Structure formats: C-alpha cells, structure tokens
Amino acid sequence: MWRRFGEAAYAAVMVVVFTIQAGALVLVAAVVLVASRGQASNTLRFVLASAVSLTALVVMLLTAYTLGYQWLSSRREHRRTAEMNRWTERWADVVVGGSPPPKPQKVRGAALEALVAVKEQLREPERSRAQDLLQHFGVTAHLLGVAGSRRHSTRRRYDALDLLFRAGSPVGFATYADLSHDPERLIRELTARAWARSLASVRDPVVLDSQARRFTREMSDSDLPQGAIHEALLETAEAAPLVLALLLEDATGDVLAAALDVAGRLQCVKMVDLVPAHLESDDVDVVCSGWRALTGMGASPQAAVVLLPGALESEEEEIRSQAVRFAALLPPSEALELLTPRLGDKSWWVRRSAAWALLNSGAKGRRLLDDASGHHPDPFARRIALQVLLESGEISAGEAMNRAVVS
Amino acid sequence: MESNGTDSVEQGAVWSEPTGSATDALVVEDDTAVAAIVRTALEQAGYQVLVTTDLAGCRRALKELRPEIVVCDLDLPDGNGLDLVREMRALPAPPRRIVVLSGGARDTAAVAALEAGAHDFLAKPFSPRELVARLELR
C-alpha cells in the first residue's frame, strides 16, 4: 500500500522496517553474549551469535532484494510508459495528422499497443487509416498467430486476444472459430468477445451474413456462461440486429436468454415481434429475459399484452417481477388496473416493482400509491407504498413515520 | 514538443509549438491516446495546445493562461470533469467553448455534461474532424 505514496516513500519505509528488524537482532545477540559471559560454553555462544547474525544477514538481503526489484520494475515501467507515449504521439501524427508512416519495420510491443490504443479511440475515416496500418505492418496476422498457437503461454495468448478485441479488425474469423473450441475457458471467453467486435466492423453485407451465421452457430453450441455470452453479444454493436435475430430464431436456453437481454439493452426495436414467442417458454430464465427485453425496448406488442395477465399470476416470483415492470409500459388506465393488485403480492420484489411502476404511471398512479400507503387492506402493501414514496422523495421521513404509526 | 515557459503550470503538461495562431486550447485528458489524437487534430487546426492529465493541472492552467477553448474528459484521476465544467463556467472570463469528451454511457453523460454548462459533448470513440468542427461553432 505504501507504493501509492510514491517510490521514495516506499523505499524509505522498507529500509526503516528492515533496519529495525536487523538492528533488534544484533542488539539481542550482543546482550545475550555479554550476559552469558562465563555462564555458557564458547561453542554455545558461537552458535547463538552465528544464528542471530545469519538471520540479520538474511533480513538485509531481503531488503536489498525487495528494493532492487522495486527499482528495476519501476525503471522498466517508466521506460515502457515513455515508449508507449512516444509511439502514441507518432501514430496520432500518422493517422490524424497525415504524416508518413514509419519505414517498414516490425510493429511489436509498445508500438503495437500504441497503434491499437489510437485506433480504439477513433471513428471513421481515421479508424480505417489505423486499420490499414495494422494490416500494413502485419499486426493483425501476428496477433492471430500468437492467439492461435498452443506453443505460447495462456497469458500471452490472452494478451494477443485482448489486443485483437481492442483493435476490432474485420478479419481472423477462421482463427476465432478454431479458438472457440480451445480447452482454456478464458481463451474461449475472450475469443467470443474479439469475434463479436470483429463482426461489428465488417461492412460487406455478404461477408457479414455468412460470418454472423458462423458466429451464432458457435455461440449456440457454446458452453460459456450466460454472462460471458451476454458480454460478447453486446460487442456486436452494428452487427447486433442480424446476430440477435439469428439467435432469437434458433438458440435455446442460456444463449437465447442472453440474446433477449442484449436485444433489450441495445433497444433493438426491429426484433420486437420475435420476442413474444419466447414468453411462453418452459425455461424461466428465457421468459424473464423476454419480458425484460420488451421493457428495455419500450415496446408492448399485442402478442405480449395478451400473455401479461398470466405472467402476473405466475408461480415464479422473477416472472411476476419482470411482468410488473413491463405492465408500466401500457396506457395508464390498463397499467393501473394490473399493477394495483400486485402491491399485495407475496414477493417483496414484486411489491416493490409494482409500487415503483405505479409511481411512474402519472398523477393517477401516484395518487393510487399515496392512497395505498394509508388505506390498503394489506399491511405489506401499505409498507412498500410508504417505502417507495419515501425513497423517491415524494414524502418526508416525518410524514412516512406518521403514516406508519396511523396505519 | 518544446516547453515554452509554461512549466510552472504543471510538471508534465506540454505546450505545443505555436502554429501561427494565438488561440489557446487546453486539453484535460488522462488517456494518452485520446490526448495525442486531440492535440494533433487541434494543432492541425492552428491551435496552440496545452495537455494536462488532471484537475489540479487544469485549474493552474486556467488561472495562469486563460485558454480560449477547453476539451475535457469526465473521469479524471483526481476528480470529476463535471465539477471542472461548472468551475469554468463560473469564471469571470470563462473559455469560449468547453467540449466534453467522454467514454461513459452516451446519453446520461451527454445530459450531465450539458447540464453542468458544457457547450457540447462528444462520445468516445470520436472523429477528430468532428471535434474541431464543434469547437469552432460560434
């Protein structure tokens, strides 16, 4: 923790701590040697003095090692940062300023990372210029080679995939397809993200279509956790409508749930008609993701609205909770009728979602919530209504206390 | 880049060499790549640019140099760029243009920046040409 106060402070603390330890050991040895004069054999005194001196020496060696390591690593870090800064300036000059690129040479290490960092921050047309440089210097091919080779360590392959992910170049699909069967889960996870971001940068519709189909096939068969698939799908960006539509038609289980969630998060309203079919799935996660997707899109297709009363009465708490949130999208008259009974739901989450939905359903909803906080026959409904009114700042803590006492 | 007497502003802050215009631009950005891109784009547009990586350096630069335009990030190592925007707008002679450049959630960050008093907002990744165009709006 001392390193955050600077290298000098850290070095000073290390020297002081270890000097105190070594000093204490020398002092103990001296005191014992003097005190034992004439009372113990010379051999015993020699052994004692040697053991203590040796320990002190080890402590001093440890100090030297720690400080030396710190000095070397901080020097290396400074050199690396300086090199990165130099290359970043240089690439910015080439890509944005129009300066000629460096003479053909290997772009590796700091030069490579700096070029990727510059590309990552740019939009078109400068982004394409950076991409041309990556191709020109063989950077993408090099990274794909490292990521795809099992001769390299997992760490090195992971770093290469991370750079490929950040670069988002529209190439390397065959390598990604191979890597999605890699025995290392970390590699498979990052491959999915790098592949998704590469898809996002494909401009040729024919290539995009075929590669999106390949990607969705691999994702559908993937054993990656739902969270990892979700993260990868979010990276598809411009390619998301195509990728998600394919998954909503063919995928099942976790992959389908992830696709529905991402469709909602990216507000892909175009695929609103593909969602209701999944609201009757046997998989609770899929149904919840479906309602969440529609809420995220802000869309209430009739095919979903007819299923809403059933979802609000579902045995599954999470389905009722998501359905309540969706109900808030309906016209106020319909929404209030469906939401008010849910204030007395047996689940705290559903009651809470209903109370918030009522609060956000216009003046009438707010009045209903206000009324429920004092007069609802169910004490749990009164309590959640009060809590939400208090949390939203609609009523003061004093007023909430008064109402709680009265009711 | 040579320092031209502004080292008192901040150790590590760098002025570009004058490029024929007396216009001053201050870039407050801790990401090396973004700072380099913005500086290159502004220099090309004829600005004399100072880059600083934190709020403290920016405050000193504002006091001593009174830049005409400021491009700032929202997430800075020693504080929030929104506070900085509010401080700049409260100055007796605020910069002519303040543009916030942020990688955060696009809509939320844009609204927060404009509410704080920024003249414009640009999300990362960005187009350097668009940035310059927005800075030159009157």
Side-chain angles (χ1 to χ4, degrees):
Chain A
M1 63 166 270
W2 278 94
R3 290 194 80 163
R4 70 192 156 119
F5 296 110
E7 301 294 340
Y10 176 73
V13 168
M14 292 300 293
V15 167
V16 168
V17 168
F18 283 111
T19 306
I20 288 172
Q21 285 184 359
L25 285 169
V26 169
L27 188 69
V28 167
V31 169
V32 171
L33 284 175
V34 170
S36 63
R37 189 178 293 160
Q39 293 176 15
S41 71
N42 279 344
T43 313
L44 184 65
R45 296 179 65 207
F46 173 75
V47 169
L48 180 68
S50 305
V52 173
S53 309
L54 202 64
T55 312
L57 188 68
V58 169
V59 167
M60 278 153 53
L61 278 173
L62 265 176
T63 315
Y65 171 78
T66 309
L67 291 177
Y69 181 84
Q70 179 207 353
W71 181 74
L72 279 176
S73 66
S74 106
R75 257 186 66 137
R76 205 165 60 178
E77 202 176 300
H78 284 147
R79 211 170 41 229
R80 173 88 175 168
T81 308
E83 208 183 344
M84 270 291 285
N85 290 347
R86 192 166 52 81
W87 273 106
T88 305
E89 295 282 346
R90 196 167 176 187
W91 291 126
D93 262 352
V94 175
V95 177
V96 180
S99 302
K103 291 273 188 296
Q105 55 174 284
K106 271 191 174 177
V107 172
R108 301 287 184 264
L112 189 160
E113 279 188 42
L115 180 52
V116 170
V118 167
K119 185 190 173 193
E120 210 179 5
Q121 300 298 342
L122 289 168
R123 296 183 73 172
E124 298 299 345
E126 289 85 0
R127 191 176 169 82
S128 288
R129 265 183 241 153
Q131 175 58 34
D132 291 344
L133 288 170
L134 286 172
Q135 291 292 108
H136 175 74
F137 288 109
V139 170
T140 319
H142 165 69
L143 291 174
L144 286 166
V146 173
S149 166
R150 304 241 166 95
R151 284 184 296 110
H152 296 295
S153 66
T154 304
R155 165 78 192 272
R156 190 141 183 242
R157 296 171 69 207
Y158 186 89
D159 287 346
L161 273 170
D162 183 52
L163 284 166
L164 284 165
F165 162 71
R166 291 171 55 199
S169 305
V171 291
F173 300 114
T175 307
Y176 294 139
D178 286 344
L179 285 174
S180 60
H181 300 286
D182 196 272
E184 296 276 352
R185 201 184 94 176
L186 264 182
I187 298 290
R188 294 202 303 278
E189 280 190 22
L190 198 50
T191 296
R193 295 178 66 201
W195 194 353
R197 200 177 260 196
S198 295
L199 275 179
S201 56
V202 174
R203 295 291 166 261
D204 182 333
V206 179
V207 176
L208 178 61
D209 186 73
S210 67
Q211 293 304 333
R213 283 175 194 283
R214 196 172 182 184
F215 174 73
T216 52
R217 262 199 316 273
E218 292 293 347
M219 286 297 106
S220 296
D221 296 338
S222 161
D223 62 348
L224 290 177
Q226 192 177 331
I229 294 173
H230 185 118
E231 287 300 315
L233 294 178
L234 278 175
E235 296 297 340
T236 52
E238 285 89 342
L242 177 58
V243 170
L244 295 176
L246 289 168
L247 288 174
L248 293 194
E249 278 168 8
D250 295 329
T252 54
D254 283 356
V255 180
L256 176 58
L260 284 163
D261 274 327
V262 171
R265 273 187 73 176
L266 296 179
Q267 299 178 321
C268 296
V269 184
K270 277 184 186 169
M271 54 194 61
V272 69
D273 293 329
L274 295 175
V275 179
H278 302 296
L279 298 176
E280 292 180 286
S281 166
D282 293 333
D283 186 330
V284 174
D285 279 350
V286 169
V287 178
C288 290
S289 298
W291 288 112
R292 228 177 357 250
L294 291 172
T295 311
M297 292 173 192
S300 50
Q302 193 53 34
V305 174
V306 296
L307 297 172
L308 185 58
L312 288 168
E313 297 295 336
S314 165
E315 281 299 306
E316 296 292 337
E317 171 190 58
E318 182 58 16
I319 292 182
R320 294 200 305 281
S321 182
Q322 295 304 331
V324 159
R325 290 188 183 125
F326 170 80
L329 296 178
L330 301 180
S333 57
E334 290 173 54
L336 299 181
E337 195 179 318
L338 291 166
L339 290 170
T340 311
R342 301 270 56 98
L343 276 179
D345 194 281
K346 60 186 174 188
S347 156
W348 181 86
W349 292 104
V350 178
R351 293 198 298 275
R352 186 175 166 78
S353 298
W356 276 105
L358 277 174
L359 185 69
N360 295 323
S361 298
K364 200 171 172 191
R366 200 261 181 223
R367 270 202 307 279
L368 268 168
L369 191 65
D370 206 40
D371 189 47
S373 72
H375 305 105
H376 200 288
D378 183 338
F380 292 107
R382 291 200 295 275
R383 209 171 293 161
I384 199 71
L386 260 185
Q387 187 179 334
V388 166
L389 286 169
L390 177 65
E391 281 176 25
S392 62
E394 292 283 330
I395 58 172
S396 66
E399 196 181 341
M401 187 69 82
N402 281 339
R403 288 194 200 182
V405 171
V406 171
S407 67
Chain B
M1 296 299 163
E2 287 177 12
S3 171
N4 65 352
T6 58
D7 286 347
S8 62
V9 172
E10 188 201 9
Q11 199 180 359
V14 186
W15 274 108
S16 59
E17 291 181 68
T19 49
S21 164
T23 309
D24 297 332
L26 176 63
V27 179
V28 194
E29 174 62 68
D30 60 331
D31 184 307
T32 321
V34 177
I37 292 166
V38 174
R39 179 159 70 185
T40 308
L42 294 183
E43 283 171 1
Q44 286 239 310
Y47 292 97
Q48 192 181 338
V49 186
L50 172 71
V51 175
T52 178
T53 55
D54 54 20
L55 279 180
C58 174
R59 286 185 181 126
R60 284 195 291 276
L62 285 169
K63 201 184 291 179
E64 295 176 23
L65 304 166
R66 296 191 180 176
E68 194 179 334
I69 61 167
V70 175
V71 178
C72 75
D73 187 12
L74 285 185
D75 300 314
L76 294 165
D78 55 348
N80 187 334
L82 292 176
D83 295 334
L84 178 65
V85 173
R86 285 188 202 100
E87 279 175 41
M88 286 191 284
R89 291 299 296 233
L91 288 172
R96 179 176 62 77
R97 296 284 294 170
I98 302 169
V99 173
V100 167
L101 198 56
S102 174
R106 198 185 180 108
D107 297 343
T108 330
V111 171
L114 296 172
E115 279 179 354
H119 295 98
D120 215 332
F121 175 90
L122 212 54
K124 298 174 195 169
F126 65 104
S127 155
R129 285 169 61 193
E130 185 181 351
L131 173 69
V132 172
R134 285 174 187 257
L135 283 168
E136 291 184 345
L137 280 173
R138 297 258 169 194

